[in-house]
Every structure is written in structure tokens, then in C-alpha cells.
Amino acid sequence: MLFRRNKAGGGLQEAGSLASDLKELEEQLSIAHGDKDVATLRSESLASDLKELSDELNDTKSKLSTLKEEVSALSTTLDESELQRQKVESSLTSLIEEKEELSMQLAEALLTMEEEKALWSSKEKATVKAFEEEAKAYHFEIALLSKELSKVIFQNYVDYLLNII
């Protein structure tokens, strides 16, 4: 039998016992290699997952950056639209006020025209009435003058006839 010195106690150990220890150590080494292989596979799988997640994170960051740019552009457009809306609203208010002012001016002008029309109509009626009265007076005078003229002509005719006889 072979003997070997034991590390721990410094004593001697049998070769058969060493073989069994060696076999046990080989089994433990084999298990450790298996565990190492499993850990390596797990590590590679986690590294692959980490790479995928990192790529997804980079894609998401890129998309987020693009969305931020779009939001910024939309915000600028919204601000410009709001300014334009305010300008249009101000213009509309001004136009409404101007329309009301023009409506009042038109109403005043129409009222003035109606008053002038009534005044001219009144003057026209008075003038027509005065002309009619004057015409009646002239007709009456003409009738009187005609009557006198007829008397004079008749008298002259009678005198003429009397002179001839």
C-alpha cells in the first residue's frame, strides 16, 4: 500500500483513500465546470438581453428626441396660430365697431334725407299752392279784363253802327 502525507495533519494517508478523494474532487470539478458552463451561458444570455435592451433604449432615446423636436415644432406652430387668431379677433372687433359706426352714420344720413325730403315736399306743396292761387288770380283778372274788353268792343261796335246809321 502506498501512503501519502496528509496536508492538514501532516500524517500519512492511504493511496485508496486518495483515489476516492481524487474521484470525488474530479466529480466536484466536473460539477463546477457544469456550473461554470451554465453560468457562462446565463452570462451570455444576460449580455445578449442587455445588448437588446441597450439597443431598444437607444432607439427609444432617438424616438424621444424626434418626438421632442416634433412637440417643439408643434408648440411653435401653436404659438404662431394663437398670435394669428388674436390678430384676426382684433381685426374682427375693429370691423364690427366700424360697421356699427357706419350703420349709425347711415341711419343719421337717412334720417337727414327724410327730413330734407319732407321739407322739400312741404316747400313744393306751398309753391304749387301759391302758383295755383296766383293762376286763379290771373284767370280772374283775365276774365274781368276780357269782360271789360268785350264791353268796350261791344260799345265800339254799337257806336260804329250808330254812326253808320
Side-chain angles (χ1 to χ4, degrees):
M1 273 205 181
L2 288 173
F3 291 96
R4 200 158 187 200
R5 218 172 249 269
N6 188 349
K7 287 183 181 180
L12 296 176
Q13 194 175 20
E14 232 178 85
S17 160
L18 283 175
S20 103
D21 285 345
L22 184 59
K23 189 171 185 178
E24 188 178 314
L25 287 172
E26 285 176 349
E27 285 176 6
Q28 287 177 0
L29 183 62
S30 176
I31 289 172
H33 278 299
D35 288 346
K36 178 188 159 217
D37 290 343
V38 168
T40 301
L41 286 174
R42 178 77 178 140
S43 174
E44 289 173 355
S45 173
L46 288 174
S48 174
D49 288 348
L50 182 61
K51 172 91 168 91
E52 287 178 19
L53 288 174
S54 178
D55 290 346
E56 285 181 28
L57 180 60
N58 287 337
D59 286 347
T60 302
K61 284 181 180 178
S62 175
K63 288 178 183 175
L64 180 60
S65 177
T66 301
L67 286 174
K68 283 181 180 179
E69 289 173 5
E70 289 177 6
V71 166
S72 177
L74 287 173
S75 179
T76 301
T77 302
L78 179 62
D79 291 343
E80 291 170 355
S81 294
E82 178 62 20
L83 286 174
Q84 187 65 26
R85 184 197 63 79
Q86 289 174 354
K87 287 179 183 177
V88 167
E89 190 174 291
S90 176
S91 294
L92 182 60
T93 301
S94 296
L95 287 173
I96 289 172
E97 290 171 359
E98 187 177 341
K99 176 190 165 220
E100 289 173 357
E101 179 64 29
L102 289 173
S103 292
M104 288 173 42
Q105 289 177 4
L106 177 62
E108 289 174 8
L110 288 174
L111 182 61
T112 302
M113 283 178 49
E114 285 298 318
E115 289 172 354
E116 287 181 13
K117 182 179 172 184
L119 181 64
W120 281 104
S121 178
S122 173
K123 285 181 180 180
E124 180 183 13
K125 286 179 183 176
T127 303
V128 167
K129 187 174 182 181
F131 284 154
E132 286 175 352
E133 288 178 11
E134 199 173 316
K136 282 182 187 177
Y138 287 142
H139 285 282
F140 182 73
E141 192 175 328
I142 290 171
L144 283 177
L145 291 174
S146 291
K147 193 174 181 183
E148 285 183 28
L149 183 62
S150 292
K151 283 183 184 178
V152 168
I153 291 174
F154 181 72
Q155 186 62 42
N156 285 338
Y157 183 67
V158 169
D159 287 341
Y160 172 74
L161 286 176
L162 284 176
N163 281 331
I164 300 179
I165 312 184

